[in-house]
Amino acid sequence: MEADSEVEALAGDARHAEKMRKKQAAQAKIMANKTREQGLLIVHTGKGKGKTSAALGMVIRAIGHGMKVGVVQFVKGAMSTGEKAVFDAFPDNVEFKPMGEGFTWDTQDRARDIAAARAALDEVRRMIADPAYHMVLADELNIALRYEYLPLDEVLSVLTVRDEMKHVIVTGRNAPEALIEAADLVTEMTMVKHPFRSGVKAQKGIEF
Amino acid sequence: MEADSEVEALAGDARHAEKMRKKQAAQAKIMANKTREQGLLIVHTGKGKGKTSAALGMVIRAIGHGMKVGVVQFVKGAMSTGEKAVFDAFPDNVEFKPMGEGFTWDTQDRARDIAAARAALDEVRRMIADPAYHMVLADELNIALRYEYLPLDEVLSVLTVRDEMKHVIVTGRNAPEALIEAADLVTEMTMVKHPFRSGVKAQKGIEF
């Protein structure tokens, strides 16, 4: 390396270190104000992929910490054999309840869909009320709300009246405004690019 | 129920069934064209939460199906003790490599960060080249690209030159345009609401 470019490189490294020191200080200042722990109402919504997967990731983290998690599936097939096999390895940490009767366009029976959604909500209510559970996932609950299979007021009451350290995760596109309002952490998954558009089917390890 | 409202309810049920039949037919038509299976290059980007969690969810699905997954962590702390405990229950299915040297604003040493990113990329390259792996997760690789710790062209070549059935997942905000271009499935996680803003700190089962 020539002397000039070496000097430049060293100056560049110094600038980098200085920039990172400032970032570190800013980050430390932000984190100093974060002192509380509390149970969160988390919502994953939007048309993109990853809503259920990201909830599953949180469930896995909680399981790994020895926490007890309840998983209620409002729509059959959103969670499948893949995660089931992993849950089965931690029988004391996960209770998995696949309650959905299938996608609504498959059943074509509104009364049956409503009964299935009601039974699933009852499971969520039970798990939220039971102090043994640290986290409850209501997977695809937003779909039941979208089709008005369950009264929004009742669902909000089930989700929000709970022990202050209990985490609840709700997934599904079209989260109602009142749920977003009530939630602590809301992420919208936005589809930028999707392989179904180029003829690729649902695959093991990705969709199920 | 009075006769009139009963008739209305039945008509409503019939409209519902008809609407769902149409949705089912439309869905079937869409799915009929999805016949191919192929390894996907998946990118989770955006400022919202859930990028690593959603990747972790896919890893868990793959593990549950008995697939072998390689997980390389470019930034320490993005994956933590929670998921590690679950990975440990499936030693034949997951190889976990935490390669990051910490957030860049903590090291303040560009040369060390570059060396760590380079070592992590070498692990990704090895796992992608090894036919034993069905899925490889390069967690927070986008951060290494953002800081120009690795040449974009080289990274794209590592990610795209691979067995046609191998899935690769890349996470991290600020995914470069060329990576999005090369990817098959891209989801942007958008922050709608975040509890850090109201003083809640990172918590077990949620962030780590």
Side-chain angles (χ1 to χ4, degrees):
Chain A
M1 198 188 275
E2 288 184 48
D4 274 6
S5 59
E6 198 173 329
V7 169
E8 270 170 36
L10 286 171
D13 285 353
R15 273 196 306 275
H16 176 82
E18 177 56 24
K19 197 170 135 194
M20 289 300 130
R21 259 194 299 275
K22 281 185 183 160
K23 266 190 193 274
Q24 185 186 38
Q27 187 71 6
K29 196 171 163 188
I30 291 168
M31 297 318 286
N33 296 321
K34 317 295 168 212
T35 50
R36 285 190 300 124
E37 295 207 314
Q38 75 171 55
L40 301 176
L41 176 55
I42 299 169
V43 175
H44 294 166
T45 192
K47 291 183 178 169
K49 285 179 65 69
K51 298 181 287 292
T52 293
S53 299
L56 176 59
M58 288 178 176
V59 167
I60 290 300
R61 280 190 188 125
I63 292 171
H65 285 295
M67 294 159 81
K68 186 168 168 77
V69 185
V71 178
V72 178
Q73 183 183 288
F74 281 73
V75 173
K76 201 180 278 174
M79 287 206 174
S80 188
T81 46
E83 40 271 58
K84 182 71 171 51
V86 175
F87 292 163
D88 286 348
F90 296 87
D92 296 338
N93 295 102
V94 199
E95 187 179 3
F96 177 50
K97 291 273 179 183
M99 306 293 292
E101 285 291 303
F103 276 101
T104 49
W105 50 78
D106 284 334
T107 60
Q108 300 167 15
D109 181 338
R110 189 171 161 84
R112 208 178 96 188
D113 287 349
I114 289 173
R118 166 71 41 201
L121 184 65
D122 286 344
E123 287 292 342
V124 170
R125 192 194 319 262
R126 175 182 64 80
M127 290 168 172
I128 288 179
D130 184 344
Y133 293 88
H134 301 96
M135 179 184 280
V136 180
L137 165 57
D139 188 53
E140 300 288 6
L141 167 56
N142 288 338
I143 295 195
L145 291 171
R146 175 77 193 289
Y147 285 108
E148 297 180 351
Y149 288 165
L150 296 169
L152 179 58
D153 285 353
E154 182 186 354
V155 169
L156 287 176
S157 156
V158 168
L159 301 177
T160 56
V161 181
R162 61 184 206 278
D163 181 272
E164 62 170 351
M165 283 312 297
K166 187 161 304 198
H167 300 299
V168 174
I169 312 172
V170 175
T171 72
R173 53 173 76 186
N174 301 114
E177 200 47 53
L179 175 58
I180 290 173
E181 200 57 43
D184 303 293
L185 168 57
V186 181
T187 303
E188 182 170 333
M189 278 65 175
T190 309
M191 176 167 47
V192 178
K193 208 180 210 182
H194 197 300
F196 282 2
R197 294 204 168 155
S198 60
V200 176
K201 68 179 183 180
Q203 296 180 93
K204 199 166 70 174
I206 308 293
E207 279 86 9
F208 62 93
Chain B
M1 198 187 277
E2 287 184 48
D4 275 6
S5 59
E6 197 172 329
V7 168
E8 269 172 36
L10 286 170
D13 286 353
R15 274 197 305 274
H16 176 82
E18 177 57 24
K19 197 170 136 193
M20 290 299 129
R21 260 193 298 277
K22 282 186 182 158
K23 267 192 193 270
Q24 184 185 38
Q27 187 71 6
K29 196 172 162 187
I30 291 168
M31 297 316 287
N33 295 322
K34 317 295 169 211
T35 50
R36 285 189 299 123
E37 294 207 316
Q38 75 169 55
L40 301 177
L41 176 53
I42 298 169
V43 175
H44 294 168
T45 192
K47 291 182 179 170
K49 286 180 63 69
K51 299 181 287 292
T52 293
S53 299
L56 176 58
M58 289 179 175
V59 167
I60 290 300
R61 281 192 184 123
I63 292 171
H65 285 296
M67 295 159 79
K68 188 172 168 75
V69 184
V71 177
V72 178
Q73 183 183 286
F74 280 73
V75 174
K76 201 180 280 177
M79 288 205 176
S80 188
T81 46
E83 41 269 60
K84 182 71 170 50
V86 176
F87 292 163
D88 287 348
F90 297 86
D92 297 339
N93 294 104
V94 198
E95 187 180 3
F96 178 50
K97 290 274 178 182
M99 306 292 291
E101 287 291 303
F103 277 101
T104 48
W105 52 77
D106 283 333
T107 60
Q108 300 168 14
D109 181 339
R110 190 171 161 82
R112 207 179 96 188
D113 286 348
I114 289 174
R118 166 70 42 201
L121 184 65
D122 286 344
E123 286 292 341
V124 170
R125 192 194 318 263
R126 175 183 64 80
M127 289 168 172
I128 288 180
D130 184 344
Y133 293 89
H134 300 97
M135 179 184 280
V136 179
L137 165 57
D139 188 54
E140 300 288 5
L141 167 55
N142 288 338
I143 294 196
L145 291 171
R146 175 78 194 289
Y147 284 108
E148 297 181 350
Y149 289 165
L150 297 168
L152 179 58
D153 285 353
E154 182 186 353
V155 169
L156 287 176
S157 156
V158 168
L159 301 178
T160 56
V161 181
R162 64 184 203 277
D163 181 272
E164 62 171 350
M165 283 311 298
K166 186 161 306 200
H167 300 299
V168 175
I169 311 173
V170 176
T171 72
R173 55 172 74 185
N174 300 113
E177 201 46 54
L179 174 59
I180 289 173
E181 200 58 42
D184 303 292
L185 168 58
V186 181
T187 302
E188 183 170 332
M189 277 67 173
T190 309
M191 177 167 47
V192 178
K193 208 179 209 183
H194 198 298
F196 282 3
R197 294 204 167 155
S198 61
V200 176
K201 66 179 184 179
Q203 295 179 95
K204 199 167 72 173
I206 308 292
E207 279 86 10
F208 61 92

